[in-house]
Amino acid sequence: MATETVYDSFRMEAGSVAETGPRTETEQRIRRDLAAAYQLCARFGWDDLIYTHISARIPGPEHHFLVNPLGLAFDEITASNLIKIDLDGNVVGENRHGYQPNAAGFVIHGGIHSVREDAGCIMHLHTEAQMALSCLEEGLLPLTQHAMRFHDRIGYHDYEGIALTTDERRRFIADLGDNAALVLRNHGSLTVGRDVAQAFVEMYYLEKSAKTQLLARATGRPLRLPPREVVELTAQQWTASFSAGLEWPSLLRTLDRTGSTYRD
């Protein structure tokens, strides 16, 4: 009942703000990329019915950002049905379907977008592998080359219940810091990128890292951890060479070959 009350309050309080001028070419591109990320999540099996959320900020001093309408499955998300909201949770401009944004998405994403200028996109998911990882006391271990990319780039946030209070924002922000990823204990995970492409590729590697750690743990055999200097070197190599410039166009081409509606 308490959860419903918070959602109802959010819906009643969230107003609407007129959109000034036509959408820019930049916003249209961000909409396309964000819708593609939702549909790719559905394709990879990373979705969770209509829940979890990915947001992308529209450049500008207003810090407006795009989120999914609560009520649509990830494979239904298109460039045109994404909702734009401000940092107060008001819907900005057109809302074709009348859906409201996810209150938990507003709490988590609004807080990070308000303080991280480099957070062009935030992905929050509940995959089975990452939920399982979030229950392990040791967190993510540098067991594999993929996992080593997150060395000194991942934070941890203790579970406080469903994220429906703005009071939790301060702790989210502090625990994330300037990291690229955050493990939400007993919950799931989150990645941050300068744009949709980077946040998505970070999540791809985080997901593989979680899966391989769980598989290694499941053998019951001792785990072999590389020396710290090797972990640090690998993390530096990832930082120096990483770019989503090649991966992302290939993912869009994959969607296009399936006849995906993400561009609509």
Side-chain angles (χ1 to χ4, degrees):
M1 179 61 69
T3 299
E4 293 177 0
T5 300
V6 172
Y7 271 91
D8 289 342
S9 175
F10 177 81
R11 290 195 180 100
M12 287 188 294
E13 291 176 4
S16 62
V17 177
E19 194 167 14
T20 58
R23 289 174 181 163
T24 65
E25 184 177 336
T26 297
E27 179 175 339
Q28 295 288 28
R29 175 182 52 77
I30 294 171
R31 283 177 170 272
R32 179 207 67 188
D33 284 348
L34 184 56
Y38 277 105
Q39 295 210 13
L40 284 164
C41 282
R43 183 178 177 85
F44 289 175
W46 296 352
D47 50 349
D48 188 9
L49 296 178
I50 61 171
Y51 301 104
T52 74
H53 18 80
I54 315 169
S55 65
R57 192 172 64 218
I58 304 300
E62 303 88 355
H63 284 75
H64 293 160
F65 60 98
L66 301 166
V67 292
N68 53 317
L70 182 61
L72 297 183
F74 277 22
D75 62 359
E76 296 180 290
I77 303 297
T78 66
S80 62
N81 64 29
L82 288 161
I83 296 175
K84 180 160 52 174
I85 62 176
D86 64 18
L87 293 177
D88 294 321
N90 297 305
V91 175
V92 179
E94 185 180 31
N95 182 1
R96 292 186 180 183
H97 298 275
Y99 291 107
Q100 291 298 326
N102 188 328
F106 165 69
V107 169
I108 295 171
H109 293 242
I112 298 170
H113 281 303
S114 69
V115 298
R116 286 275 299 262
E117 288 298 326
D118 63 328
C121 178
I122 302 164
M123 290 191 70
H124 169 48
L125 300 179
H126 301 155
T127 71
E128 289 89 343
Q130 293 178 38
M131 285 192 291
L133 177 73
S134 76
C135 298
L136 299 179
E137 187 63 37
E138 70 265 25
L140 183 67
L141 298 175
L143 291 169
T144 63
Q145 179 172 282
H146 287 351
M148 291 179 216
R149 73 180 285 123
F150 295 102
H151 174 67
D152 283 343
R153 300 177 66 239
I154 190 166
Y156 296 85
H157 176 72
D158 288 339
Y159 189 64
E160 300 184 26
I162 297 175
L164 296 175
T165 66
T166 54
D167 185 54
E168 191 177 357
R169 276 185 171 185
R170 293 181 286 104
R171 293 180 288 279
F172 262 113
I173 292 167
D175 291 335
L176 175 62
D178 60 358
N179 290 308
L182 184 70
V183 172
L184 309 179
R185 297 285 193 182
N186 311 102
H187 182 174
S189 65
L190 180 151
T191 59
V192 176
R194 63 177 176 270
D195 53 24
V196 174
Q198 186 176 45
F200 189 93
V201 174
E202 294 280 17
M203 183 62 77
Y204 175 85
Y205 285 116
L206 183 59
E207 175 71 3
K208 288 185 77 75
S209 301
K211 282 184 175 179
T212 51
Q213 181 168 327
L214 295 170
L215 287 170
R217 276 275 183 228
T219 67
R221 303 293 297 164
L223 299 180
R224 183 180 181 86
L225 286 167
R228 182 175 178 84
E229 58 268 24
V230 173
V231 174
E232 292 175 346
L233 171 63
T234 307
Q236 291 168 7
Q237 291 171 325
W238 272 117
T239 301
S241 63
F242 171 67
S243 169
L246 295 176
E247 295 101 328
W248 188 244
S250 74
L251 290 165
L252 295 183
R253 290 194 297 270
T254 296
L255 281 180
D256 289 334
R257 286 194 297 272
T258 67
S260 168
T261 59
Y262 74 95
R263 296 178 184 271
D264 293 351

